[in-house]
Amino acid sequence: MTQAYMPESKSTEWGTPRRVFDPWNSEFNFTLDVCAVDWNTKVPAHWFSPQVDGLRQSWRGERAWCNPPYGSKNIAQWLAKAVAEANAGATSVLLLPNTTDTQWFHEFVWDAGDNRPRRGIEVRFIKGRINFDLPPGFDGRKDGNVKGSMLVITRPIVPGIVVPCQFCGK
């Protein structure tokens, strides 16, 4: 399995456009944005900044939105956290690059033995490419999103049964 190829960019902070986010928010009624900065949070009443570090906070009982930095190598950490929090009663929706050949996809999302998503996981492939919002003052060139995207949804399987998160120490 490969690591996701992501072309170099001057920023890893790309905002989900409101027109893309709103239908999902209507469906899930998000109560928390776990990976945001002030200009791109989608749940302004309750969000975690990099300084607060959503990987170290509880999402228990929340309906969490997560658009982690695409250019980073920590997508596995956000997925591990979402799975651990699902075991604590959270539903999480992660907007991720559609890279089904990656280690994180097979470790956390896909059950190769059953050829379907793992228990408690739903995958929705997004038709077309999302044109993400640019950071304020961004001076780099935007070539567009070079990958398709998908939603990975983690839901509680059995509330109260907690599986430790190997990345976040919970």
Coordinates of all heavy atoms in Angstrom, one line a residue, residues 94-147:
L94 N -15.8 12.5 8.4 CA -14.5 13.0 8.0 C -14.5 13.2 6.5 O -14.9 12.3 5.7 CB -13.4 12.0 8.4 CG -13.2 11.8 9.9 CD1 -14.1 10.7 10.4 CD2 -11.7 11.5 10.1
L95 N -14.1 14.4 6.0 CA -13.9 14.6 4.6 C -12.5 14.3 4.3 O -11.6 15.0 4.8 CB -14.3 16.1 4.3 CG -14.1 16.5 2.8 CD1 -14.9 15.7 1.9 CD2 -14.4 18.0 2.7
L96 N -12.3 13.3 3.4 CA -10.9 12.8 3.2 C -10.6 12.6 1.7 O -11.6 12.5 0.9 CB -10.7 11.4 3.9 CG -11.0 11.4 5.4 CD1 -10.9 9.9 5.9 CD2 -10.0 12.2 6.1
P97 N -9.3 12.6 1.3 CA -9.0 12.4 -0.1 C -9.4 10.9 -0.4 O -9.3 10.0 0.4 CB -7.5 12.5 -0.1 CG -7.0 12.6 1.3 CD -8.2 12.8 2.2
N98 N -9.9 10.8 -1.6 CA -10.3 9.4 -2.1 C -9.1 8.7 -2.6 O -8.8 8.6 -3.7 CB -11.4 9.6 -3.2 CG -11.9 8.3 -3.7 OD1 -11.4 7.2 -3.3 ND2 -12.8 8.3 -4.7
T99 N -8.4 8.2 -1.6 CA -7.2 7.4 -1.9 C -7.3 6.0 -1.2 O -6.8 5.8 -0.1 CB -5.9 8.1 -1.3 OG1 -6.2 8.5 0.0 CG2 -5.6 9.4 -2.1
T100 N -8.0 5.2 -2.0 CA -8.3 3.8 -1.4 C -7.1 2.9 -1.4 O -7.2 1.8 -0.9 CB -9.4 3.2 -2.2 OG1 -9.0 3.1 -3.6 CG2 -10.7 4.0 -2.1
D101 N -5.9 3.3 -1.9 CA -4.7 2.5 -2.0 C -3.8 2.7 -0.7 O -2.8 2.1 -0.6 CB -3.9 2.7 -3.2 CG -3.5 4.1 -3.4 OD1 -4.1 5.0 -2.8 OD2 -2.5 4.4 -4.1
T102 N -4.3 3.6 0.1 CA -3.4 4.0 1.3 C -3.5 3.0 2.4 O -4.5 2.3 2.6 CB -3.8 5.4 1.8 OG1 -5.1 5.4 2.1 CG2 -3.5 6.4 0.7
Q103 N -2.5 3.0 3.3 CA -2.5 2.2 4.5 C -3.6 2.6 5.4 O -4.3 1.7 5.9 CB -1.2 2.3 5.2 CG -1.0 1.4 6.4 CD 0.4 1.4 7.0 OE1 1.3 1.9 6.3 NE2 0.5 0.9 8.1
W104 N -3.9 3.9 5.6 CA -4.9 4.3 6.5 C -6.3 3.8 6.1 O -7.1 3.5 6.9 CB -4.9 5.8 6.8 CG -5.0 6.7 5.6 CD1 -4.0 7.4 5.0 CD2 -6.3 7.1 4.9 NE1 -4.5 8.2 4.0 CE2 -5.9 8.0 3.9 CE3 -7.6 6.7 5.1 CZ2 -6.8 8.6 3.1 CZ3 -8.5 7.3 4.2 CH2 -8.1 8.2 3.2
F105 N -6.6 3.8 4.8 CA -7.8 3.4 4.3 C -8.1 1.9 4.6 O -9.1 1.5 5.1 CB -7.9 3.6 2.7 CG -9.3 3.1 2.2 CD1 -10.3 4.0 2.2 CD2 -9.4 1.9 1.6 CE1 -11.6 3.6 1.7 CE2 -10.7 1.5 1.0 CZ -11.7 2.4 1.1
H106 N -7.1 1.1 4.5 CA -7.2 -0.4 4.7 C -7.1 -0.7 6.2 O -7.7 -1.6 6.7 CB -6.2 -1.2 3.9 CG -6.5 -1.1 2.5 ND1 -7.4 -2.0 1.9 CD2 -6.2 -0.3 1.5 CE1 -7.5 -1.8 0.6 NE2 -6.8 -0.7 0.3
E107 N -6.4 0.1 7.0 CA -6.3 -0.1 8.4 C -7.6 0.3 9.2 O -8.0 -0.4 10.1 CB -5.1 0.6 9.0 CG -4.9 0.3 10.5 CD -3.6 0.9 11.0 OE1 -2.8 1.4 10.2 OE2 -3.5 0.9 12.2
F108 N -8.2 1.4 8.8 CA -9.3 2.0 9.5 C -10.7 1.9 8.8 O -11.7 2.0 9.5 CB -9.0 3.4 9.9 CG -7.9 3.5 10.9 CD1 -6.7 4.0 10.4 CD2 -8.0 3.1 12.2 CE1 -5.6 4.1 11.2 CE2 -6.9 3.2 13.0 CZ -5.7 3.7 12.5
V109 N -10.7 1.9 7.5 CA -12.0 2.0 6.8 C -12.4 0.7 6.1 O -13.6 0.3 6.3 CB -11.8 3.1 5.7 CG1 -13.1 3.3 4.9 CG2 -11.4 4.5 6.3
W110 N -11.6 0.0 5.4 CA -12.0 -1.1 4.6 C -11.6 -2.4 5.2 O -10.5 -2.6 5.6 CB -11.4 -0.9 3.2 CG -12.1 -1.7 2.2 CD1 -11.7 -2.9 1.6 CD2 -13.4 -1.4 1.6 NE1 -12.6 -3.3 0.7 CE2 -13.7 -2.5 0.7 CE3 -14.3 -0.4 1.8 CZ2 -14.9 -2.5 0.0 CZ3 -15.5 -0.4 1.1 CH2 -15.7 -1.4 0.2
D111 N -12.6 -3.3 5.2 CA -12.3 -4.7 5.7 C -12.1 -5.6 4.4 O -13.0 -5.9 3.7 CB -13.5 -5.2 6.4 CG -13.3 -6.6 7.0 OD1 -12.5 -7.4 6.4 OD2 -14.0 -6.9 8.0
A112 N -10.8 -5.8 4.1 CA -10.5 -6.6 2.9 C -11.1 -8.0 2.9 O -11.4 -8.5 1.9 CB -9.0 -6.6 2.7
G113 N -11.2 -8.6 4.1 CA -11.7 -10.0 4.2 C -13.2 -10.1 3.7 O -13.6 -11.0 3.1
D114 N -13.9 -9.0 4.1 CA -15.4 -9.0 3.8 C -15.6 -8.1 2.5 O -16.8 -8.1 2.1 CB -16.2 -8.5 4.9 CG -16.3 -9.5 6.1 OD1 -16.1 -10.7 5.8 OD2 -16.5 -9.1 7.2
N115 N -14.6 -7.5 2.0 CA -14.7 -6.5 0.9 C -15.8 -5.5 1.1 O -16.7 -5.4 0.2 CB -14.9 -7.3 -0.4 CG -14.6 -6.4 -1.6 OD1 -13.8 -5.5 -1.5 ND2 -15.2 -6.7 -2.7
R116 N -15.8 -4.9 2.2 CA -16.8 -3.8 2.5 C -16.2 -2.9 3.7 O -15.2 -3.3 4.3 CB -18.1 -4.4 2.9 CG -18.0 -5.2 4.2 CD -19.4 -5.7 4.6 NE -19.3 -6.5 5.8 CZ -20.2 -7.4 6.2 NH1 -21.2 -7.6 5.5 NH2 -20.0 -8.0 7.3
P117 N -16.8 -1.8 4.0 CA -16.4 -1.0 5.1 C -16.4 -1.8 6.4 O -17.2 -2.7 6.6 CB -17.3 0.2 5.1 CG -17.9 0.2 3.8 CD -18.0 -1.2 3.3
R118 N -15.5 -1.4 7.3 CA -15.5 -2.1 8.6 C -16.7 -1.8 9.3 O -17.5 -0.8 9.0 CB -14.3 -1.5 9.4 CG -12.9 -2.0 8.8 CD -11.8 -1.6 9.7 NE -10.5 -1.9 9.0 CZ -10.0 -3.2 9.0 NH1 -10.7 -4.1 9.6 NH2 -8.9 -3.5 8.4
R119 N -17.0 -2.6 10.4 CA -18.2 -2.4 11.2 C -18.2 -1.0 11.8 O -17.2 -0.5 12.3 CB -18.2 -3.5 12.3 CG -19.5 -3.6 12.9 CD -19.5 -4.9 13.7 NE -20.5 -4.8 14.8 CZ -20.3 -4.9 16.0 NH1 -19.1 -5.2 16.5 NH2 -21.3 -4.7 16.9
G120 N -19.4 -0.3 11.7 CA -19.5 1.0 12.2 C -19.0 2.1 11.3 O -19.0 3.3 11.7
I121 N -18.6 1.8 10.1 CA -18.0 2.7 9.1 C -18.9 2.8 7.9 O -19.4 1.7 7.4 CB -16.6 2.3 8.7 CG1 -15.7 2.2 9.9 CG2 -16.1 3.3 7.6 CD1 -15.1 3.5 10.4
E122 N -19.2 4.0 7.4 CA -19.9 4.2 6.1 C -18.9 5.0 5.3 O -18.3 6.0 5.7 CB -21.2 4.9 6.4 CG -22.0 5.2 5.1 CD -23.2 6.0 5.3 OE1 -23.6 6.1 6.5 OE2 -23.8 6.5 4.4
V123 N -18.9 4.7 4.0 CA -18.1 5.4 3.0 C -19.0 6.0 2.0 O -19.8 5.3 1.4 CB -17.0 4.5 2.4 CG1 -16.2 5.3 1.3 CG2 -16.1 3.9 3.4
R124 N -18.9 7.3 1.7 CA -19.6 7.9 0.6 C -18.6 8.6 -0.4 O -17.9 9.5 0.0 CB -20.6 9.0 1.1 CG -21.6 8.4 2.0 CD -22.6 9.5 2.4 NE -23.5 9.0 3.4 CZ -24.4 9.8 4.0 NH1 -24.5 11.1 3.7 NH2 -25.2 9.3 5.0
F125 N -18.5 8.1 -1.6 CA -17.6 8.7 -2.6 C -18.3 9.9 -3.2 O -19.5 9.8 -3.5 CB -17.3 7.6 -3.6 CG -16.5 6.5 -3.1 CD1 -17.1 5.3 -2.8 CD2 -15.1 6.6 -2.8 CE1 -16.4 4.2 -2.2 CE2 -14.4 5.6 -2.2 CZ -15.0 4.4 -1.9
I126 N -17.6 11.0 -3.3 CA -18.1 12.2 -3.8 C -17.8 12.3 -5.3 O -16.7 12.2 -5.7 CB -17.5 13.4 -3.0 CG1 -17.9 13.2 -1.5 CG2 -18.0 14.7 -3.6 CD1 -17.2 14.1 -0.6
K127 N -18.9 12.6 -6.0 CA -18.7 12.8 -7.5 C -18.1 14.1 -7.8 O -18.5 15.1 -7.2 CB -20.1 12.7 -8.2 CG -20.1 12.7 -9.7 CD -21.5 12.6 -10.2 CE -21.4 12.7 -11.7 NZ -22.8 12.6 -12.3
G128 N -17.1 14.1 -8.6 CA -16.4 15.3 -9.0 C -15.4 15.7 -7.9 O -15.2 15.0 -7.0
R129 N -14.8 16.9 -8.1 CA -13.8 17.3 -7.1 C -14.3 18.6 -6.5 O -14.9 19.5 -7.1 CB -12.5 17.6 -7.9 CG -11.9 16.4 -8.4 CD -10.5 16.6 -8.9 NE -10.0 15.3 -9.4 CZ -9.0 15.2 -10.3 NH1 -8.5 16.3 -10.8 NH2 -8.6 14.0 -10.7
I130 N -14.0 18.7 -5.2 CA -14.4 19.9 -4.4 C -13.3 21.0 -4.6 O -12.1 20.7 -4.5 CB -14.4 19.5 -2.9 CG1 -15.5 18.5 -2.7 CG2 -14.7 20.8 -2.1 CD1 -15.5 17.9 -1.3
N131 N -13.8 22.2 -4.9 CA -12.9 23.3 -5.0 C -13.0 24.0 -3.6 O -13.9 24.7 -3.2 CB -13.4 24.3 -6.0 CG -13.2 23.8 -7.4 OD1 -12.1 23.2 -7.7 ND2 -14.2 24.0 -8.3
F132 N -11.9 23.7 -2.8 CA -11.9 24.1 -1.4 C -11.7 25.6 -1.3 O -11.1 26.3 -2.3 CB -10.7 23.4 -0.7 CG -11.1 22.0 -0.5 CD1 -10.6 21.0 -1.3 CD2 -11.8 21.6 0.6 CE1 -10.9 19.6 -1.1 CE2 -12.1 20.2 0.8 CZ -11.7 19.3 -0.1
D133 N -12.1 26.2 -0.2 CA -11.9 27.6 0.1 C -10.4 27.8 0.4 O -9.8 27.0 1.1 CB -12.7 28.1 1.3 CG -14.2 28.1 1.0 OD1 -14.6 28.1 -0.2 OD2 -15.0 28.0 1.9
L134 N -9.9 29.0 0.0 CA -8.5 29.3 0.2 C -8.3 30.0 1.5 O -9.2 30.8 1.9 CB -8.0 30.2 -0.9 CG -8.0 29.6 -2.3 CD1 -7.7 30.7 -3.4 CD2 -7.0 28.5 -2.4
P135 N -7.1 29.8 2.2 CA -6.9 30.6 3.4 C -6.8 32.1 3.1 O -6.4 32.5 2.0 CB -5.5 30.1 3.9 CG -5.3 28.8 3.1 CD -6.1 28.9 1.8
P136 N -7.1 32.9 4.1 CA -7.0 34.4 3.9 C -5.6 34.7 3.6 O -4.6 34.2 4.2 CB -7.4 35.0 5.2 CG -8.2 33.9 5.9 CD -7.7 32.6 5.4
G137 N -5.4 35.6 2.7 CA -4.0 36.1 2.3 C -3.2 35.0 1.6 O -2.0 35.2 1.4
F138 N -3.8 33.9 1.1 CA -3.1 32.9 0.4 C -2.4 33.5 -0.8 O -3.1 34.1 -1.6 CB -4.0 31.7 0.1 CG -3.3 30.6 -0.6 CD1 -2.5 29.7 0.1 CD2 -3.5 30.4 -1.9 CE1 -1.9 28.6 -0.5 CE2 -2.9 29.3 -2.6 CZ -2.1 28.4 -1.8
D139 N -1.1 33.3 -0.9 CA -0.4 33.9 -2.1 C 0.1 32.8 -3.1 O 0.7 33.1 -4.0 CB 0.7 34.8 -1.7 CG 1.8 34.0 -0.9 OD1 1.6 32.8 -0.6 OD2 2.8 34.6 -0.6
G140 N -0.3 31.6 -2.8 CA 0.1 30.5 -3.7 C -0.8 30.3 -4.8 O -1.9 30.9 -4.8
R141 N -0.4 29.6 -5.8 CA -1.3 29.3 -6.9 C -2.2 28.2 -6.6 O -1.8 27.2 -5.9 CB -0.4 28.9 -8.1 CG -1.1 28.9 -9.4 CD -0.1 28.7 -10.6 NE -0.4 27.4 -11.1 CZ 0.4 26.5 -11.6 NH1 1.7 26.8 -11.5 NH2 0.1 25.4 -12.1
K142 N -3.4 28.3 -7.0 CA -4.4 27.2 -6.7 C -4.6 26.5 -8.1 O -5.2 27.0 -9.0 CB -5.7 27.7 -6.2 CG -6.7 26.6 -5.9 CD -8.0 27.0 -5.3 CE -8.9 25.8 -5.1 NZ -10.2 26.2 -4.6
D143 N -4.2 25.2 -8.1 CA -4.4 24.4 -9.3 C -5.6 23.6 -9.3 O -5.9 22.9 -10.2 CB -3.2 23.5 -9.5 CG -1.9 24.2 -9.9 OD1 -2.0 25.3 -10.5 OD2 -0.8 23.8 -9.5
G144 N -6.4 23.7 -8.2 CA -7.5 22.9 -8.0 C -7.2 21.6 -7.2 O -6.1 21.3 -7.0
N145 N -8.2 21.0 -6.8 CA -8.1 19.8 -6.1 C -7.7 18.7 -7.0 O -8.3 18.4 -8.0 CB -9.4 19.4 -5.4 CG -9.4 18.2 -4.5 OD1 -8.3 17.6 -4.3 ND2 -10.5 17.9 -3.9
V146 N -6.5 18.0 -6.7 CA -6.0 17.0 -7.6 C -6.5 15.6 -7.3 O -6.2 14.6 -8.0 CB -4.5 17.0 -7.7 CG1 -3.9 18.3 -8.1 CG2 -3.9 16.7 -6.3
K147 N -7.3 15.5 -6.3 CA -7.9 14.2 -5.9 C -9.4 14.3 -5.7 O -9.9 15.4 -5.4 CB -7.3 13.7 -4.5 CG -5.8 13.4 -4.5 CD -5.7 11.9 -4.7 CE -4.2 11.5 -4.6 NZ -3.9 10.5 -5.5

